[in-house]
Amino acid sequence: MAKGAGKARKKLPKALAVVNADNCTGCEACVEVCPVDCIYKVPGSDLATLQSFVDIDLDRCIGCDLCERWCPWDAIEMIKPTLIADAVAIKGGPPDYVLANQDKLNAAARAIQDLALEVAAAAPAKK
Ligand code: SF4
Ligand code: SF4
């Protein structure tokens, strides 16, 4: 779960996957297709009221877009790294899960967004 949050990446993908938890049924179609195994089923055993859904380790997502294309419920959206923190902050989920995890998920997304903004600021302006 968000292993290595905030760890510097050599290169950022053009977009990263974010799960809209309210649309996710936990069918795991996305888990099956993800080539880097960065989508995880949220464990419900310690959170009795948890609905079934998945979340994504953004530090490992390579932005391949497969999960978005395979999701039968349109629960995944590909988001530019410069906007990722805002998207993660509103992605929703069961209250127990949000309470236990949202700060950590926000911090990981913020680190990626800050890096993306740094890279964008350092890039030469296009003519
Ligand atoms: S975009 Fe690709 S790497 Fe990222 S979570 Fe989806 S399937 Fe995995
Ligand atoms: S494919 Fe879509 S609905 Fe199924 S677990 Fe993944 S995000 Fe949820």
Side-chain angles (χ1 to χ4, degrees):
M1 187 180 299
K3 280 177 206 150
K7 199 171 53 183
R9 301 172 68 135
K10 286 189 181 141
K11 199 174 170 199
L12 284 169
K14 285 194 177 128
L16 296 162
V18 173
V19 177
N20 176 344
D22 293 336
N23 289 355
C24 175
T25 63
C27 71
E28 297 189 50
C30 56
V31 177
E32 298 288 324
V33 297
C34 178
V36 295
D37 293 330
C38 70
I39 307 177
Y40 52 90
K41 192 92 186 261
V42 172
S45 53
D46 50 339
L47 295 169
T49 59
L50 196 64
Q51 73 186 48
S52 184
F53 79 114
V54 301
D55 214 337
I56 294 175
D57 180 354
L58 288 177
D59 285 318
R60 293 171 52 220
C61 173
I62 59 172
C64 70
D65 196 22
L66 280 174
C67 56
E68 186 200 32
R69 285 193 269 146
W70 279 86
C71 176
W73 302 100
D74 287 335
I76 296 184
E77 205 178 340
M78 299 304 295
I79 305 285
K80 286 181 183 175
T82 49
L83 301 172
I84 196 75
D86 297 336
V88 167
I90 59 164
K91 71 188 181 60
D96 285 356
Y97 179 74
V98 170
L99 190 65
N101 295 281
Q102 195 66 47
D103 286 350
K104 187 171 49 182
L105 296 171
N106 285 346
R110 174 62 60 188
I112 291 170
Q113 181 166 308
D114 287 349
L115 176 62
L117 291 171
E118 252 176 60
V119 170
K126 283 188 185 157
K127 291 183 184 167

